[in-house]
Amino acid sequence: MAARPPQGDSGEPESIEFGIAALDARLDRAAVVFPATTEELIAAMDDTDVPYDAAGNTLDVAATLRELPAERFESERALLNRLHPVFEEKRRSGAGSLLGRVRTLLPF
């Protein structure tokens, strides 16, 4: 997912990536080769905190991967499909609180 940031002349990117889109970009930058184990994925990413909403709240992908029953992922798509519900649950649970709802309204 991505959200458009406030308009301005700051030279910032045109969108803010979060959720699976942010994880996908992080994996591409890390040049992860599949199939890959949980530990190989964690070692390849320099930072495993990935934003799950436009407010910048993060999910520790390393901790999440270690909790999953699968220890090996045959493809990037298999990994993203497995983690998508986790990101969505975090996003929904964060949006349910008053603070979470206010954060989703703010562009920063």
Side-chain angles (χ1 to χ4, degrees):
M1 298 186 146
R4 293 193 66 58
Q7 299 299 314
D9 298 323
S10 66
E12 296 292 319
E14 291 186 23
S15 65
I16 300 169
E17 290 181 328
F18 57 92
I20 291 300
L23 179 58
D24 185 33
R26 183 87 44 97
L27 292 170
D28 289 347
R29 283 192 305 272
V32 175
V33 177
F34 288 90
T37 65
T38 294
E39 293 306 317
E40 289 170 339
L41 291 167
I42 293 168
M45 293 189 295
D46 57 343
D47 180 11
T48 60
D49 286 333
V50 176
Y52 62 82
D53 63 13
N57 295 306
T58 61
L59 172 72
D60 182 359
V61 174
T64 302
L65 285 171
R66 288 183 176 123
E67 291 176 8
L68 295 177
E71 293 183 8
R72 179 181 166 93
F73 300 91
E74 296 302 318
S75 67
E76 183 174 345
R77 179 59 39 210
L79 171 66
L80 297 177
N81 286 343
R82 182 63 185 97
L83 290 177
H84 183 265
V86 177
F87 275 99
E88 284 301 303
E89 178 57 33
K90 286 295 279 187
R91 188 183 58 76
R92 275 193 301 270
S93 67
S97 68
L98 177 60
L99 181 59
R101 285 182 284 186
V102 170
R103 282 185 173 165
T104 60
L105 297 173
L106 300 175
F108 45 86

